[in-house]
Amino acid sequence: MVLNDALQLTVTAALFVLSYVFYRIDVSFCCVFILLAVFTTRNTPLSLASMAVERYVAVCHPLRHRQICTVRRTYAAVGFIWLACAAPAVADLFVTLATESLSFFRQSVFCLRQNVFKDPVLADKRLAFDIIYFSCVFLTLVFTYLRVLFAARALSAETVSAQRARNTILLHGAQLAMCMLSYVSPSVEVVLRLIFPGQVLEIRYANYLIVYILPRFLSPIIYGVRDKQFRKYLKMHLKTHLLSNRCRAESRTVAPTCAFQEDSKS
């Protein structure tokens, strides 16, 4: 998940910068960027679903967790997810190679998906695959959350693992809902262009931040800040940083007190 998000942010940021600097780039280079961006974007919802299933198994079937969620099966699940996400994108490339001439790939275009994969059949295919992917992920998240919730309520008191699993699945659902903004973002962008015709670049930049950056921002919160050990060292670092800043501010007026604080801290 972290590797996929890092790759997705790197590719989309590079494509965004190139679009601003050069405006038009070769179709061949644009195809590479578009395929990587589409592949990594589709990978995120399926990864969320797989992690929700793992939490469901850990809470509802704890005795079989080690048997079901083995390292080998984890690698197989990751490989299947990457293959399922890459296959439709590669199919778009093959259809474009079959329908367009070689001179088309030497042209310079503004790097958008509809400017490169222009066949109307591909648009219908993309819509169908996106609906299938996100419907399966949404149903998986709802099923796992309800099962974890019922398992927690069946106990006399909610266990810590069940509560954390339920919260994690809820955060996955929020992240999925933010990822689904990519469906409505093209229509919203068209409406905003009609309302603000002279702010095209600003609208595209805001769309990029909200649709592509913000959903990936939740991953460090889910798996970083919620970790007890990491949160402990984060609080310690913040306290040290605040104390150091306070010491520097007091050193301008009360030098002996600041020096004493620095010596005691060291």
Side-chain angles (χ1 to χ4, degrees):
M1 182 73 175
V2 176
L3 178 61
N4 178 78
D5 287 349
L7 181 60
Q8 196 268 351
L9 292 176
T10 302
V11 172
T12 54
L15 181 58
F16 200 82
V17 172
L18 289 175
S19 299
Y20 266 93
V21 175
F22 300 104
Y23 189 75
R24 291 175 176 269
I25 61 176
D26 290 343
V27 174
S28 56
F29 289 104
C30 181
C31 286
V32 176
F33 282 106
I34 293 296
L35 290 177
L36 287 176
V38 171
F39 161 66
T40 52
T41 301
R42 281 179 171 171
N43 201 330
T44 299
L46 296 183
S47 299
L48 293 175
S50 64
M51 288 185 287
V53 171
E54 189 274 332
R55 289 292 85 199
Y56 157 73
V57 174
V59 174
C60 298
H61 304 282
L63 299 179
R64 301 184 58 190
H65 181 262
R66 291 187 176 181
Q67 299 176 354
I68 297 175
C69 301
T70 61
V71 176
R72 183 176 180 180
R73 290 183 177 179
T74 301
Y75 286 147
V78 172
F80 174 77
I81 290 174
W82 285 55
L83 179 62
C85 295
V90 175
D92 291 350
L93 178 61
F94 286 158
V95 172
T96 304
L97 289 172
T99 55
E100 299 289 344
S101 62
L102 293 179
S103 60
F104 170 73
F105 294 91
R106 302 189 186 96
Q107 298 177 5
S108 296
V109 296
F110 185 75
C111 194
L112 291 176
R113 193 174 181 181
Q114 56 268 26
N115 293 341
V116 177
F117 306 115
K118 300 184 295 183
D119 197 314
V121 177
L122 296 180
D124 296 336
K125 181 188 72 68
R126 288 194 297 266
L127 179 61
F129 271 96
D130 287 340
I131 293 175
I132 292 173
Y133 283 159
F134 279 93
S135 298
C136 293
V137 172
F138 177 76
L139 293 176
T140 301
L141 289 177
V142 172
F143 171 78
T144 53
Y145 174 75
L146 292 178
R147 292 301 299 268
V148 169
L149 180 63
F150 292 153
R153 288 186 175 181
L155 301 175
S156 57
E158 290 190 0
T159 61
V160 177
S161 60
Q163 187 175 3
R164 291 191 63 184
R166 187 183 61 186
N167 294 336
T168 300
I169 295 174
L170 273 178
L171 290 173
H172 285 167
Q175 191 175 10
L176 175 65
M178 298 180 70
C179 291
M180 293 178 68
L181 291 175
S182 58
Y183 282 131
V184 299
S185 62
S187 301
V188 173
E189 186 174 339
V190 171
V191 174
L192 291 177
R193 287 182 183 180
L194 295 177
I195 300 175
F196 307 100
Q199 307 292 329
V200 177
L201 296 180
E202 289 78 2
I203 292 173
R204 186 175 291 119
Y205 181 69
N207 179 57
Y208 171 71
L209 290 180
I210 296 173
V211 176
Y212 293 98
I213 298 296
L214 193 57
R216 275 77 191 175
F217 179 74
L218 288 179
S219 294
I221 297 178
I222 296 175
Y223 301 104
V225 180
R226 294 180 67 238
D227 184 79
K228 292 183 178 180
Q229 196 70 14
F230 179 80
R231 190 165 60 247
K232 173 184 175 182
Y233 286 103
L234 180 62
K235 290 181 179 179
M236 187 183 304
H237 174 74
L238 291 177
K239 289 180 180 179
T240 304
H241 182 69
L242 292 176
L243 180 61
S244 178
N245 290 340
R246 181 181 177 185
C247 180
R248 293 192 187 95
E250 291 180 353
S251 64
R252 302 174 183 176
T253 56
V254 190
T257 305
C258 180
F260 174 76
Q261 290 179 357
E262 290 289 346
D263 293 339
S264 62
K265 185 175 67 173
S266 60

